[in-house]
Amino acid sequence: VQLQASGGGLVQAGGSLRLSCAVSGRAFCSNARGWFRQAPGKEREFVAAISGSGYSTYYADSAKGRFTISRDSAKSTVYLQMNSLKPEDTAVYYCAARKSVIPTTTGYEFWGQGTQVTVSS
């Protein structure tokens, strides 16, 4: 089972991007899912997470008010809507899944490849 992240790109500051994390079949439909990012020279950091049901979400302070995590009705694809992007949001963004339904900032066992987000000033 693979997690496939997409939607990254180059955008000007203040712009928006929507990242998607798809999985094959019905995998991870009931699992908590998360988004993380890693900027050059920095450690990977938590961005946002959503519960298996989709009813609970959790955000890093840097993402609150600007980013929205959601999942589709089948709960297999997870999205990260990013608005009011800043140059400091530039990073490789990774999607992840947990065996648990509870969204957390750590403890994700399954990871997808990253998608590059570059925000120009």
Side-chain angles (χ1 to χ4, degrees), residues 85-113:
L85 283 162
K86 305 174 182 179
E88 50 263 44
D89 294 318
T90 295
V92 177
Y93 284 71
Y94 298 89
C95 62
R98 300 189 69 210
K99 293 179 181 178
S100 169
V101 300
I102 301 173
T104 63
T105 61
T106 61
Y108 288 78
E109 295 90 352
F110 307 96
W111 292 85
Q113 93 297 348

Side-chain angles (χ1 to χ4, degrees), residues 12-70:
Q12 289 187 332
S16 299
L17 282 174
R18 188 193 198 201
L19 305 184
S20 298
C21 180
V23 297
S24 56
R26 296 280 297 169
F28 302 128
C29 291
S30 299
N31 301 76
R33 305 273 288 278
W35 285 98
F36 294 75
R37 67 186 184 186
Q38 187 167 19
K42 296 186 177 181
E43 293 187 352
R44 185 170 60 193
E45 64 176 5
F46 168 78
V47 176
I50 189 166
S51 63
S53 67
Y55 291 122
S56 297
T57 57
Y58 188 57
Y59 295 94
D61 288 343
S62 60
K64 288 179 182 177
R66 299 188 300 127
F67 295 1
T68 302
I69 188 171
S70 62

